[in-house]
Amino acid sequence: MNLAIINFGSGNLHSVHKAFENVNSELSNPYNIVVTNDPKEIQSADKIVLPGVGAFGDCKNAIFKIEGLHASLEVSVLKNKVPFMGICVGMQLLADLSHEFGTHSGFGWIPGEVRRIASPKEYKIPHMGWNEIRFSDHKLFDGCEQGSDFYFVHSFYFQNQKSEHSIATTKYPDQITAAVCKENICGTQFHPEKSHINGKRIIHNFLEWRP
Amino acid sequence: MLKKRIIPCLDVDNGRVVKGVNFIDLVDAGDPVEQAIIYNAEGADELCFLDITASSDNRDTLLEVVKKTAENCFIPLTVGGGVRSLDDISRLLHFGADKVSINTAAVDNIDLVAEAANKYGSSTIVIAVDAKQTAENQWKVFTHGGRNETDIDVVTYCNEVAKLGAGEILLTSMDRDGTKSGFDNKLLKAVTSKVNIPVIASGGVGNLNHLLDGILEGEASALLAASIFHFGEYSIGEVKRYLADNNIPVRI
């Protein structure tokens, strides 16, 4: 079984890779984890992880610059229904479009738009640090307690068009989507790779997820 | 609710911690990786390494420390000290840093802030500001580890780097650093009230009450401390319990 972590030059690639390696090594049937941007390797993967930090447009352009990368993701995730996890901007990219530094179209895999967090002055932007989440019943949160803290760093959030696609929320001070899921596609706004034990549990659950 | 972050900072020289921790279960009190692992287990919200290696020839030793720490600690790791260029940032991120802090190089070349934030994302770029009071309610930016005075006003500078895309500010009071007399809360408040990105308070912590004041009076988003943790005066857990008892939201 192969797990592909997509390498398009994102700053958190190394951290994501190390965290997945760490959790994977505790499985009885560990995955072979590859960090790759090779369409062939992506199409032969049994699970796919898309990390992402930085601006939406920059991440999207970096992905589309790599020949065949986006097309291979669409084949694997949309056609072959390979379980997929996007992290932070990797999750926001699933939206129809983003309003960060102009308007950019996204993958359009989960309906909704990415908007700037509108918070009163005393709430600093980025929303940075540990914040608690409320989640609905989903494999990703198996063994997690309601109100657990996860590490967030973002100035924009994913406003889902359909509430059923938002499987976890946090508050800053308004309610913000903390995780999304639609069929075999999931994503987290927080960074599981930086969220200590709670984060490792999410990674573990994703590795065991059979949507 | 967003929690106030507690960040232990380790000064690293040639790959070794300068002020060692005297944890009982520590095999090598000079190994930053071992100390980072313990802080991680105690509930630190982030970790910070400050490289104070004088010679740039020896800087690569820090990369190994960063790499090993990132393999063992799954909380955010900020690394700073001697960061001069995009290449330096790229190297640290590649070895496992989550954020890189820039100090003197940003003062020398303010464009670096925007270039770094554009390339790696605001969330990755911390601007470290060494501040010293020069008059009533006035603080100037100092560089080169606090040795060189500039005529740059701290609040103006912090606003500028925030506009250029810095993700947060690590604000150290040179007047308080090492004195154990508490944060310069007037300095903190002057910045936190005017700047809309998170500010990490640094310099001067001597007791638990100082930490509380940094939040209540200074309105800091995060608190950085070195010696109170290193010399085992307080554990991360004690700090958090104290803050929680005083109605400060912390991750326990």
Side-chain angles (χ1 to χ4, degrees), chain B residues 7 25 58 74 84 88 99 132 136 164 184 195 203 219:
Chain B
I7 309 173
D25 45 355
N58 296 330
F74 302 103
R84 305 285 317 166
D88 290 342
K99 308 184 204 179
K132 205 166 185 173
E136 179 77 17
L164 291 170
D184 184 342
V195 180
E219 297 181 10

Side-chain angles (χ1 to χ4, degrees), chain A residues 15 124 132 149 153 194 196, chain B residues 3 74 94 98 123 192 195:
Chain A
S15 294
K124 305 289 185 192
E132 63 228 43
D149 288 313
V153 190
K194 290 287 124 191
H196 201 218
Chain B
K3 309 299 187 289
F74 302 103
H94 178 75
D98 298 291
S123 58
T192 56
V195 180

Side-chain angles (χ1 to χ4, degrees), chain B residues 26-109:
Chain B
L26 210 58
V27 178
D28 176 357
D31 181 4
V33 181
E34 271 204 71
Q35 300 196 5
I37 290 170
I38 289 184
Y39 286 139
N40 178 47
E42 281 186 344
D45 295 309
E46 297 187 21
L47 294 166
C48 180
F49 285 148
L50 184 62
D51 188 16
I52 57 166
T53 307
S55 161
S56 56
D57 298 345
N58 296 330
R59 287 257 160 78
D60 286 353
T61 55
L62 183 79
L63 296 177
E64 274 307 303
V65 169
V66 170
K67 183 167 176 274
K68 282 190 196 144
T69 304
E71 281 165 5
N72 290 286
C73 299
F74 302 103
I75 56 173
L77 171 63
T78 301
V79 184
V83 175
R84 305 285 317 166
S85 64
L86 294 179
D87 280 350
D88 290 342
I89 298 168
S90 189
R91 207 172 301 122
L92 287 166
L93 293 176
H94 178 75
F95 276 81
D98 298 291
K99 308 184 204 179
V100 173
S101 102
I102 313 172
N103 191 327
T104 303
V107 178
D108 290 349
N109 172 22

Side-chain angles (χ1 to χ4, degrees), chain A residues 84-153:
Chain A
F84 171 96
M85 182 186 217
I87 296 173
C88 197
V89 179
M91 175 268 249
Q92 295 183 353
L93 284 164
L94 306 176
D96 295 318
L97 54 94
S98 166
H99 298 282
E100 184 175 3
F101 299 125
T103 304
H104 309 270
S105 59
F107 292 178
W109 293 356
I110 296 183
E113 296 185 8
V114 176
R115 297 181 179 281
R116 190 172 170 83
I117 299 171
S119 60
K121 195 178 157 285
E122 63 270 28
Y123 285 79
K124 305 289 185 192
I125 299 289
H127 170 222
M128 181 184 288
W130 299 81
N131 206 340
E132 63 228 43
I133 65 161
R134 296 272 150 196
F135 51 85
S136 50
D137 184 25
H138 191 282
K139 169 73 186 171
L140 218 51
F141 298 106
D142 266 9
C144 289
E145 276 180 43
Q146 290 289 0
S148 301
D149 288 313
F150 288 85
Y151 190 81
F152 289 83
V153 190

Side-chain angles (χ1 to χ4, degrees), chain A residues 54-55 58 101, chain B residues 112-122 125 164-165:
Chain A
D58 292 344
F101 299 125
Chain B
L112 180 64
V113 180
E115 287 165 15
N118 287 339
K119 184 156 186 198
Y120 303 106
S122 291
I125 306 303
L164 291 170

